[in-house]
Amino acid sequence: MARWRRSTPLPSVLRRAAQYVRMSTEHQQYSIANQSAALALYGAAHKIGIVRSFVDAGKIGTTIKRRAGLQELLRIVESGSADFTDVLVYDVSRWGRFPDCDESAHYEFLCKRAGIAVHYCAEQFENDNSPTSNLLKALKRTMASEYSRELSVKVSAGQHRLAGMGFWQGGKPPFGMLRLLVDENRKRKRLLERGEWKSISTDRIALTPGPKDAVETVRLAYDLYTKQKKSRREIVRILNTSNRLRGKSRWTVQMLRDLYNDPIYKGVYTYAKHDLRFGQFKHRPPEMWITREHAFPAIVSDQQWNQAKARIADETKPLVDSEMLTSLKTLWKRRGHLNSTLINASAETPSTSAYRKHFDGLGEAYTLIGYPAARSHRYTHIIRLTHQLRAGVCASLCEKILSTGGCAEKLPTPGLLLLNHSVTAKVLICNGTVPKGRKMVWTLALNRIQRVDVTIIGRLKAPERNILDYFIIPAISQLRSTFQTREGENDPFLEIYRFDNLDAFVSSFRQCSIAEMS
């Protein structure tokens, strides 16, 4: 009896891999596609199937900040929930050009510790942890870091030179100015619209006044301030009521302060006031600034700008506590009473926010001058405390859920969280009140809470600064009313939602494999 024999071998099982691709600027429009094509060829040659992609488009490699793709990759790797065994990267520089070479090695080690191999597909060596491989990787990382440092120095030197010549070095132009494209001889070519850039390397960008209504608004603001001696609050009201907006934004006192301090309106260009290299923001002393006089056509004269600058300097001089209290007491004696509206409207006193910042509350300033406040300002203090506690609870929840392998992120609305990409949770802090002759009562106004999947209410017990316990109420409970709760005296249907801490809630978002569940 003849035996049957397979003529071709069984196909081997493909390893599952994730690819990480990064390009430095949006101008490298084909970089991502080229890297992906190279990684696909490498995977096909090594029997590796790419099942996930992590992309950082237009992100520099000198820092992990704002590189959401790499951060998400490392988060999945560290959580133990990765559905791949390998990571494919084009070369060492795509992984990162960190100033500290050890940072790049650290992120690779995190993958290695989780049992996930990192392949640099365009390099001429295998990343097999051999002495040769480790030596070449260290060399490549140093070269990538040095390349980034040298490029930064060259680009910075070029920008400083062009700024010294009076050419605009990127960024949105100030209000009342437009970007003008000129050639190497400063001959005017055309105005640039928003999002447009020069296409010829020898062209340059300068600034010119415009549009006409914006220029008129700037001149009016300076005239009202220097000639008519209006206050900034009055000028804000005049400009906003006459619909002379700052672009699409209404004017504020701070906007006017910036307007009067900006020398661009007298044609002077100041550059390099801050150092932003390697993701670090540092202020530079004035003697290190690049300043070009008469770089652009002026909107106001030097004399008028200097007058506005001098008045702003006098109005915004550093506040002294004793002077603030004296002006507040003078206002009280003159008007006979004090309140926030009166203080903010007075030209002799700083704003109420300044008093809160200097004296930890307006009530404390009232106490120091002997003013008999009509009501306690403890309410404002409690509001600030509850906001701080809520922020702390949200931060703690996110940290603990992430540490268990789950996902957690804060949404723009205060106290609102998105957990495991699907569950919305609202965190609230409830202050208790003490009715006469009775125990403290906390009111849970569930009928006024926005609809979310889970509502977490922490009960704050005065005078302590910590939370007594939590009510964790899912939307499925259908509790949409106002409930009075007390310490140890709640109805059973409410007590089932009360917890001493959030540990049980956090553990419910832990991600685990099917093997762990069986």
Side-chain angles (χ1 to χ4, degrees):
M1 182 175 178
R3 282 186 163 183
W4 177 82
R5 170 180 285 181
R6 179 182 291 273
S7 59
T8 57
L10 289 170
S12 60
V13 179
L14 294 177
R15 298 203 306 275
R16 297 168 62 86
Q19 67 172 359
Y20 173 73
V21 292
R22 177 186 66 83
M23 67 178 183
S24 299
T25 67
E26 298 291 353
H27 301 294
Q28 300 170 330
Q29 55 180 326
Y30 300 116
S31 178
I32 296 294
N34 292 341
Q35 291 177 56
S36 297
L39 299 184
L41 290 175
Y42 181 92
H46 293 78
K47 295 183 173 59
I48 299 176
I50 299 175
V51 297
R52 298 192 64 172
S53 294
F54 298 88
V55 182
D56 281 322
K59 305 298 181 182
I60 62 173
T62 57
T63 176
I64 198 172
K65 293 180 180 178
R66 296 182 293 277
R67 288 172 66 182
L70 181 57
Q71 291 180 21
E72 178 67 8
L73 169 62
L74 295 175
R75 188 196 65 77
I76 291 176
V77 167
E78 290 189 281
S79 70
S81 61
D83 57 350
F84 47 85
T85 59
D86 301 81
V87 175
L88 304 185
V89 189
Y90 184 73
D91 60 16
V92 173
S93 69
R94 294 302 88 194
W95 190 251
R97 299 182 184 274
F98 302 103
D100 187 348
C101 303
D102 292 340
E103 184 174 356
S104 180
H106 169 69
Y107 298 140
E108 181 180 331
F109 173 74
L110 294 179
C111 296
K112 187 186 301 183
R113 185 175 61 183
I116 296 175
V118 178
H119 303 265
Y120 299 113
C121 304
E123 302 291 0
Q124 300 301 311
F125 59 87
E126 290 291 334
N127 191 13
D128 54 4
N129 203 33
S130 64
T132 302
S133 169
N134 292 336
L135 178 62
L136 290 175
K137 279 192 299 182
L139 180 61
K140 288 279 188 176
R141 287 168 182 149
T142 303
M143 292 170 58
S145 175
E146 185 64 14
Y147 169 82
S148 179
R149 189 194 67 79
E150 291 180 352
L151 182 62
S152 175
V153 171
K154 292 177 182 178
V155 170
S156 179
Q159 290 175 333
H160 286 191
R161 182 179 65 83
L162 293 175
M165 297 170 64
F167 294 117
W168 181 250
Q169 295 306 297
K172 183 180 178 180
F175 175 73
M177 289 288 189
L178 296 174
R179 294 181 303 145
L180 176 65
L181 185 66
V182 298
D183 61 15
E184 64 273 19
N185 298 317
R186 296 182 183 269
K187 183 179 180 180
R188 181 188 180 106
K189 299 184 75 172
R190 67 182 182 90
L191 293 174
L192 292 176
E193 299 294 335
R194 182 177 181 181
E196 289 187 327
W197 298 92
K198 67 186 185 73
S199 57
I200 302 176
S201 60
T202 55
D203 284 349
R204 298 288 178 256
I205 298 176
L207 293 185
T208 187
K212 182 179 179 181
D213 56 345
V215 174
E216 292 176 350
T217 299
V218 172
R219 288 173 177 161
L220 175 61
Y222 270 87
D223 288 343
L224 292 172
Y225 195 60
T226 59
K227 296 179 180 179
Q228 300 186 30
K229 304 301 181 182
K230 299 284 187 181
S231 69
R232 281 182 288 159
R233 290 190 180 95
E234 292 178 306
I235 298 173
V236 165
R237 180 181 54 79
I238 292 172
L239 294 179
N240 289 335
T241 54
S242 61
N243 204 31
R244 290 183 173 274
L245 306 182
R246 189 183 185 278
K248 296 182 179 180
S249 303
R250 296 177 62 83
W251 286 95
T252 65
V253 172
Q254 182 60 47
M255 287 181 183
L256 283 179
R257 175 180 176 177
D258 296 338
L259 183 80
Y260 299 138
N261 276 324
D262 196 340
I264 204 80
Y265 296 109
K266 65 172 182 176
V268 176
Y269 185 26
T270 56
Y271 182 71
K273 294 190 289 186
H274 310 102
D275 191 347
L276 300 175
R277 287 179 295 178
F278 304 120
Q280 297 180 345
F281 183 91
K282 296 181 180 178
H283 293 283
R284 293 162 60 96
E287 59 269 16
M288 297 183 66
W289 296 356
I290 306 296
T291 302
R292 170 77 179 196
E293 299 285 343
H294 309 294
F296 314 118
I299 294 180
V300 299
S301 66
D302 287 6
Q303 181 182 3
Q304 189 175 23
W305 186 88
N306 291 333
Q307 290 174 353
K309 174 71 173 178
R311 186 177 173 188
I312 278 289
D314 182 64
E315 292 178 351
T316 59
K317 61 183 179 181
L319 298 174
V320 180
D321 290 359
S322 59
E323 295 178 357
M324 294 175 65
L325 294 174
T326 299
S327 62
L328 187 63
K329 191 171 184 178
T330 301
L331 178 64
W332 168 31
K333 298 302 182 184
R334 181 165 56 86
R335 299 300 297 268
H337 68 283
L338 292 174
N339 56 47
S340 297
T341 303
L342 191 63
I343 295 171
N344 287 330
S346 173
E348 292 80 18
T349 60
S351 63
T352 54
S353 60
Y355 282 104
R356 294 189 184 100
K357 181 178 179 180
H358 279 249
F359 302 102
D360 195 24
L362 189 58
E364 184 64 23
Y366 284 170
T367 302
L368 291 174
I369 65 172
Y371 178 71
R375 64 181 180 89
S376 172
H377 287 262
R378 178 171 173 75
Y379 175 77
T380 305
H381 169 73
I382 292 178
I383 292 296
R384 289 201 303 268
L385 175 60
T386 55
H387 288 174
Q388 294 172 1
L389 287 174
R390 181 176 61 187
V393 171
C394 291
S396 177
L397 266 178
C398 290
E399 181 181 355
K400 290 181 179 179
I401 291 176
L402 289 173
S403 66
T404 63
C407 303
E409 60 177 303
K410 298 178 185 178
L411 297 180
T413 302
L416 191 61
L417 305 175
L418 178 62
L419 309 177
N420 282 2
H421 305 298
S422 59
V423 179
T424 54
K426 179 69 174 181
V427 177
L428 300 170
I429 304 297
C430 182
N431 300 306
T433 59
V434 184
K436 187 176 181 180
R438 299 176 62 185
K439 292 184 178 181
M440 181 171 287
V441 175
W442 291 268
T443 302
L444 309 184
L446 299 178
N447 57 333
R448 291 183 294 178
I449 299 174
Q450 66 186 100
R451 294 189 176 275
V452 292
D453 297 317
V454 182
T455 301
I456 303 172
I457 304 177
R459 297 199 298 179
L460 179 62
K461 184 178 180 181
E464 291 86 357
R465 287 174 166 263
N466 52 13
I467 296 175
L468 173 66
D469 54 18
Y470 300 88
F471 278 87
I472 304 176
I473 304 174
I476 197 173
S477 68
Q478 296 296 314
L479 295 179
R480 305 295 298 177
S481 185
T482 300
F483 301 95
Q484 301 289 332
T485 64
R486 293 177 175 82
E487 186 174 359
E489 298 180 6
N490 300 315
D491 292 330
F493 78 92
L494 277 177
E495 193 65 21
I496 62 175
Y497 300 109
R498 192 189 66 81
F499 297 85
D500 292 332
N501 53 57
L502 298 177
D503 292 346
F505 180 76
V506 169
S507 63
S508 65
F509 290 91
R510 184 175 71 89
Q511 294 187 359
C512 59
S513 64
I514 296 178
E516 291 179 306
M517 298 175 62
S518 59

